[in-house]
Amino acid sequence: MTVVFSDIQAAQARIAGQVDRTPVRQSRRLSQLTGAEVWVKYDNLHFTGSFKERGALNRLLSLTPEERERGVVAASAGNHAQALAYHGGRLGIPVTIVMPEGTPFTKIDGTRSHGATVVIEGADFTGSTAEAHRLRDEKGFVFISAFDDEGIVTGQGVCAIEFLEDAPELDALIIPIGGGGLIAGCAIAAKAMKPGIEIYGVEAAMYPSFTARRRGETPKCGGATIAEGIAIKAVGDIPFALADPLVDDVLVCDEPDFEKAVAFLATLEKTVAEGAGAGGLAALLRYPERFRGRKVGIVLCGGNIDARMLAVVLNREMVRERRLIVYRILGDDRPGMLSAMAAVIGGLGGNIIDVVHNRLALDVPAKGAEFDIMVETRDSAHADEIGQALKDKGYALRMG
């Protein structure tokens, strides 16, 4: 088992013209935010919305004519599925994808739209993988792992070649880790092109499989993370063996870190990232002292986030910044009460989004009511100004 730089260079030539070369840009806004000189590679702009296309196409192009005729099978809940389905459809290779129960309909439909056969089986990725292996044995398909495959790792390494060709001055690369295919390929390529560059991985705190394996521990993984693209319970054997000697450190991030990163990429960079895709920025936000003053490249490796979840994340960030706040007021239940409170809020420029009028709270007098008023404010200071004005008018107030 080995992947060397010349393999990745060969993959770059092999897939040239069939996969978009995604842009690399310095982000002045993210640089101001983090204190580092931040460069972004926008792999969310691939046709299927993620970095997975390079590895999927490289692996498909390595199949023999007889293997192409048999077709391929894979287990995936999203990005690998769509990349394999799209390029398999282009090349006339039958593709079967096993997806876990509960996979969002948009991902199922997206995979089917490229001509793949979708099988829903397994409560999670592990169960889907078992079914994919069963279909491989029963139908004679070629199984293509999303990450634990030399051809996949080799293709993913092309990302780092492109990145350093466009931004050769980088001091460090920050790359999300799920199964490990992307960081393994990129670490090999980057260290070959620029031996002094540092490679940092990013893991979700709920799924620290690479970190645990480095320590010789059994990973404790589980839970619903917004970074579902890197929610892998066990890093792949092949990627780990290749990446472990080359990765300088792995940074573990919590859910608020990923949420903030998604929100900042949308509001500052005007681009859409899924939770895992925003992992590089999440690490910069969580560990700014590690990168301050350095030239840092982050791979925005995917943008396939559900529209509803994106809306939730943006609203939650407004709550964190207190630009969306709830004032809970206990008062008399009499005509004009609500309009008087609204006059105070509106007079100071607050925008009332919602009002809940609760007469049944048992800690409120029978002739009273509890008012929950959701208000959009300019910032935290504006929220405090409105709150103080309500108190000055004599309202019993709790701010949430």
Side-chain angles (χ1 to χ4, degrees):
M1 180 196 70
T2 183
V3 174
V4 297
F5 184 48
S6 60
D7 297 325
I8 299 172
Q9 290 175 306
Q12 183 182 30
R14 191 177 299 120
I15 67 176
Q18 300 181 72
V19 174
D20 294 328
R21 183 180 176 119
T22 55
V24 171
R25 289 182 60 247
Q26 181 185 356
S27 171
R28 285 175 289 177
R29 293 183 183 276
L30 296 182
S31 298
Q32 291 170 353
L33 178 68
T34 63
E37 183 181 307
V38 181
W39 291 75
V40 183
K41 184 161 181 61
Y42 292 88
D43 268 8
N44 59 331
L45 298 181
H46 279 296
F47 180 69
T48 62
S50 88
F51 75 96
K52 292 285 189 178
E53 287 194 29
R54 299 186 190 92
L57 178 58
N58 185 62
R59 184 66 179 87
L60 288 170
L61 291 174
S62 72
L63 296 174
T64 66
E66 183 268 338
E67 288 173 330
R68 288 188 176 208
E69 188 173 342
R70 282 158 50 193
V72 302
V73 66
S76 172
N79 292 337
H80 179 59
Q82 294 186 69
L84 207 59
Y86 170 59
H87 287 291
R90 285 181 50 249
L91 298 171
I93 301 171
V95 175
T96 299
I97 302 293
V98 184
M99 291 182 151
E101 298 164 7
T103 298
F105 291 125
T106 54
K107 292 186 177 181
I108 296 172
D109 293 342
T111 303
R112 282 181 175 149
S113 71
H114 297 307
T117 299
V118 175
V119 176
I120 306 298
E121 184 67 40
D124 54 20
F125 180 75
T126 301
S128 295
T129 300
E131 175 64 12
H133 286 161
R134 189 191 71 78
L135 290 172
R136 173 198 60 193
D137 297 339
E138 179 183 302
K139 305 286 189 180
F141 298 142
V142 177
F143 176 76
I144 299 182
S145 168
F147 47 82
D148 208 10
D149 182 294
E150 289 184 32
I152 293 291
V153 170
T154 303
Q156 311 306 22
V158 176
C159 174
I161 294 180
E162 294 178 0
F163 209 154
L164 287 177
E165 285 177 344
D166 292 346
E169 64 273 31
L170 292 178
D171 301 322
L173 287 179
I174 308 179
I175 300 168
I177 301 177
L182 180 62
I183 197 167
C186 286
I188 293 166
K191 292 283 188 177
M193 296 175 70
K194 191 172 184 179
I197 196 169
E198 293 186 353
I199 307 295
Y200 292 87
V202 184
E203 288 192 303
M206 293 183 186
Y207 293 85
S209 60
F210 194 104
T211 301
R213 187 160 177 174
R214 267 193 158 180
R215 295 173 178 170
E217 302 170 354
T218 300
K220 297 178 181 178
C221 298
T225 173
I226 189 177
E228 73 279 350
I230 55 173
I232 304 296
K233 293 182 179 179
V235 64
D237 293 336
I238 292 172
F240 182 80
L242 294 169
D244 187 42
L246 302 175
V247 173
D248 293 275
D249 200 1
V250 179
L251 307 174
V252 177
C253 292
D254 292 314
E255 292 304 290
D257 304 318
F258 290 104
E259 291 182 28
K260 289 178 183 177
V262 170
F264 284 137
L265 285 165
T267 57
L268 298 181
E269 273 304 295
K270 318 304 180 189
T271 193
V272 175
E274 59 190 89
L281 180 56
L284 278 173
L285 295 171
R286 178 66 180 269
Y287 304 96
E289 70 287 348
R290 301 286 294 271
F291 303 102
R292 191 169 287 115
R294 302 177 66 192
K295 296 179 175 67
V296 182
I298 60 175
V299 180
L300 200 175
C301 55
N304 292 323
I305 187 171
D306 179 77
R308 181 190 63 82
M309 182 54 60
L310 178 59
V312 168
V313 169
L314 292 175
N315 280 325
R316 285 169 63 89
E317 187 58 27
M318 290 184 69
V319 172
R320 285 193 185 92
E321 296 175 357
R322 301 184 75 225
R323 292 189 295 124
L324 200 60
I325 190 167
V326 174
Y327 300 97
R328 174 164 290 177
I329 301 171
L330 305 181
D332 297 335
D333 187 13
R334 52 183 173 77
M337 186 73 173
L338 184 58
S339 64
M341 292 184 289
V344 174
I345 295 168
L348 289 172
N351 182 28
I352 296 176
I353 302 297
D354 191 24
V355 177
V356 177
H357 193 174
N358 184 7
R359 295 180 174 87
L360 301 180
L362 297 181
D363 58 347
V364 177
K367 290 188 176 182
E370 181 180 81
F371 303 85
D372 280 354
I373 307 176
M374 181 180 291
V375 178
E376 182 183 5
T377 69
R378 291 189 298 273
D379 51 31
S380 184
H382 188 210
D384 288 337
E385 181 185 5
I386 293 172
Q388 188 59 52
L390 288 167
K391 290 177 182 178
D392 291 344
K393 289 290 186 179
Y395 296 117
L397 175 68
R398 183 179 71 80
M399 297 163 65

